[in-house]
Amino acid sequence: MQKIIVDKPFEQDWIRMFTHLANLFFEQSKVINDPAEEGIHIDISVDKDEDGLLRGNATLKQDDNEYSATFTEQETSDGSETENRQLKRIYSHVFLEVLEQFTGMKQSWGILTGIRPMKLYHKYRQMGNDRETVKQLLMDKHRISEEKSELLETIERVQLGAIPDLHELKDEVSIYIGIPFCPTKCAYCTFPAYAIHRKNGRVESFLDGLHEEIREIGSWLTKRDIKITTIYFGGGTPTSIEAEEMDALYQTMYDSFPYMKEVREVTVEAGRPDTITQLKSMS
Ligand code: SF4
């Protein structure tokens, strides 16, 4: 366990943010605010001057070595980011940079620790930025490498092939349907997934609830005349349930959701080959 001692009593969600970043470098880390503890000490701050310039600083001290990082940018005023989000991003920026200097490890995804980097890419594109500007924003504001920034651009081109009006879709929704069961739970998995022991009727009661939710969402969308762009069955491993159970879900989906003929794509994640049967592949 690598202890990282920060110089302020940050709130819990900030500590979580720092811990996620620290975990990019260490197998397990704990971020605390106790100067008496032994570990890696990081002094970190963001100051604002009278012109609204935000300056982030981080200094890491360990034995006789010292590493420091600075990042400066203007306070956001175009509403694209809340003040809290911008501060978190600047803190993350300098926190990551001193750890990169200290460990010698470069994080190619920069300060991103979530699972949907394309969301960020699309946000910048929907704000009207061209691809070159988005690439620069990803590299400068989020410390994403040039290679990964270009990968996101490639993915966007592929996505636009399937949905050419992706950035203009404002009044539509996409639907994610989660089925949190897998044949077994993989040791490394952080998704909400449970081994599908068909005991006590818990799979059946989950599916009953899911049918109900699909009907309710369908009725909500129908009343408001909202179209669906894509539907994604994810998990877990949706194909862990029986073929008849999957068919029943598709039936409820077709009966409940509006404009099903106009949905561009329906995807069913089938990440575990041991769950696929001929019947399920024809469902
Ligand atoms: S198959 Fe995927 S979702 Fe299921 S336990 Fe393994 S990693 Fe998690």
Side-chain angles (χ1 to χ4, degrees):
M1 167 82 68
Q2 177 63 63
K3 281 192 192 152
I4 298 184
I5 297 103
V6 286
D7 62 330
K8 290 184 201 63
F10 287 99
E11 284 178 13
Q12 209 41 49
D13 62 323
W14 287 68
I15 291 290
R16 221 176 2 254
M17 171 187 86
F18 288 132
T19 307
H20 284 151
L21 291 168
N23 283 344
L24 298 173
F25 299 90
F26 309 105
E27 202 170 317
Q28 244 194 330
S29 47
K30 189 166 187 195
V31 177
I32 48 176
N33 167 243
D34 182 354
E37 282 277 355
E38 293 217 346
I40 298 170
H41 286 252
I42 301 183
D43 290 352
I44 189 160
S45 62
V46 176
D47 304 314
K48 182 162 101 174
D49 74 10
E50 61 219 21
D51 298 323
L53 203 64
L54 295 164
R55 182 186 295 272
N57 292 293
T59 305
L60 184 155
K61 292 177 196 145
Q62 173 82 329
D63 304 324
D64 293 334
N65 298 317
E66 190 172 308
Y67 308 86
S68 56
T70 307
F71 178 65
T72 307
E73 73 176 25
Q74 197 64 38
E75 188 179 24
T76 304
S77 57
D78 60 4
S80 60
E81 200 173 35
T82 63
E83 189 185 340
N84 198 44
R85 263 188 179 269
Q86 185 177 23
L87 281 178
K88 279 188 168 175
R89 184 168 50 71
I90 296 174
Y91 270 100
S92 298
H93 203 288
V94 288
F95 186 82
L96 189 92
E97 190 180 340
V98 281
L99 284 175
E100 283 187 341
Q101 291 176 22
F102 172 66
T103 60
M105 288 166 71
K106 189 95 182 115
Q107 298 299 341
S108 54
W109 286 105
I111 60 171
L112 300 195
T113 55
I115 55 169
R116 292 193 189 91
M118 281 311 290
K119 214 171 147 186
L120 180 65
Y121 190 93
H122 288 308
K123 184 187 112 178
Y124 282 132
R125 287 285 278 147
Q126 277 160 341
M127 286 164 62
N129 297 297
D130 61 26
R131 292 197 171 104
E132 197 45 44
T133 307
V134 174
K135 182 174 155 189
Q136 216 50 54
L137 287 168
L138 296 175
M139 289 164 61
D140 295 346
K141 286 177 175 269
H142 303 271
R143 296 186 64 80
I144 299 175
S145 70
E146 184 168 10
E147 185 200 352
K148 296 297 184 198
S149 303
E150 284 170 1
L151 174 64
L152 296 181
E153 182 181 325
T154 306
I155 293 171
E156 189 216 22
R157 288 182 192 278
V158 173
Q159 291 178 329
L160 287 175
I163 305 177
D165 52 347
L166 184 62
H167 296 138
E168 285 82 55
L169 292 172
K170 291 202 175 67
D171 303 323
E172 290 192 10
V173 294
S174 281
I175 297 205
Y176 179 86
I177 300 173
I179 300 181
F181 301 113
C182 293
T184 52
K185 173 88 179 179
C186 302
Y188 53 82
C189 179
T190 54
F191 290 101
Y194 305 92
I196 188 162
H197 305 305
R198 297 203 70 120
K199 285 187 207 144
N200 308 327
R202 68 177 191 154
V203 176
E204 290 74 10
S205 58
F206 174 83
L207 292 176
D208 287 347
L210 191 52
H211 279 276
E212 182 60 25
E213 196 172 341
I214 292 173
R215 281 192 286 268
E216 282 297 317
I217 296 287
S219 138
W220 192 90
L221 293 171
T222 305
K223 274 185 207 143
R224 287 161 183 79
D225 199 31
I226 295 174
K227 289 186 181 167
I228 301 168
T229 315
T230 60
I231 299 171
Y232 190 97
F233 285 81
T237 306
T239 43
S240 301
I241 61 175
E242 298 300 322
E244 308 79 62
E245 290 169 328
M246 293 177 70
D247 285 343
L249 283 176
Y250 302 147
Q251 193 59 56
T252 303
M253 172 180 84
Y254 274 95
D255 291 345
S256 312
F257 289 164
Y259 302 110
M260 272 308 287
K261 281 204 177 112
E262 293 177 44
V263 172
R264 321 280 180 97
E265 186 184 282
V266 178
T267 306
V268 179
E269 201 177 308
R272 293 275 291 256
D274 47 337
T275 63
I276 313 294
T277 62
Q278 200 167 4
L279 268 181
K280 284 183 203 173
S281 67
M282 289 160 45
S283 285

